[in-house]
Amino acid sequence: MLETSVEDFVSRFEADAAEGQLYPQPEGSPLMEFVSGGRTLYLFDRTGPYTAKPGAARVIVHGTFARFAKLPSVPEPLTKLAAVGISGMEGVGQITRLASRFTVVVQARLPLVLSSFTPLPELEAGEWLSFETQPPLHGFLAH
């Protein structure tokens, strides 16, 4: 299980929220448009309709792995992040913390909470991953 409730998820990962700018949501759209780390992300709004107000915001960006690979070494700090489709991404980032056997926090232009539906292999903070997420990315407003 990746989360027990929205409130629990926000409390567990609030420190890992990305800082950025939220743009107005079109009427009836479940997606938040969030700009952070020089990237525009379209996130499935998990904190409820109409709670995301335009302006400066802290948002927990959560994705599930479509694929990932531990990199043996990275010669220089090199983070990458690119959009894949409407609400997915691929990139390279450094693990900043291990949250559980299923979830890691990765710094890849912005902090990302990335999860797997199966237990992850042995990973350590400081290691580098290449990854691609399954759509949609989820967004949780942090307090």
Side-chain angles (χ1 to χ4, degrees):
M1 177 175 4
L2 301 180
E3 63 183 70
T4 55
S5 71
V6 169
E7 295 79 13
D8 177 59
F9 194 86
V10 170
S11 70
R12 286 178 44 216
F13 295 103
E14 188 166 17
D16 305 302
E19 308 248 348
Q21 188 77 23
L22 275 174
Y23 288 87
Q25 285 178 270
E27 184 68 28
S29 173
L31 297 180
M32 296 188 290
E33 183 178 1
F34 180 60
V35 176
S36 181
R39 298 294 179 258
T40 301
L41 305 173
Y42 294 93
L43 309 172
F44 183 70
D45 185 352
R46 291 298 307 279
T47 48
Y50 311 111
T51 56
K53 305 293 184 218
R58 295 180 62 244
V59 176
I60 301 160
V61 179
H62 181 237
T64 53
F65 288 116
R67 65 160 184 82
F68 73 92
K70 185 166 71 169
L71 300 177
S73 67
V74 176
E76 59 186 74
L78 177 65
T79 60
K80 295 181 182 179
L81 192 62
V84 175
I86 295 290
S87 186
M89 67 178 109
E90 65 181 2
V92 173
Q94 188 172 33
I95 299 171
T96 58
R97 82 178 174 102
L98 307 170
S100 73
R101 292 187 55 215
F102 299 88
T103 303
V104 295
V105 178
V106 174
Q107 179 66 39
R109 297 188 65 100
L110 60 128
L112 305 167
V113 178
L114 300 175
S115 298
S116 172
F117 291 108
T118 59
L120 294 167
E122 290 289 322
L123 297 171
E124 295 181 20
E127 292 183 311
W128 289 80
L129 294 179
S130 67
F131 61 87
E132 183 175 341
T133 65
Q134 301 179 59
L137 296 170
H138 290 207
F140 298 79
L141 291 176
H143 301 102

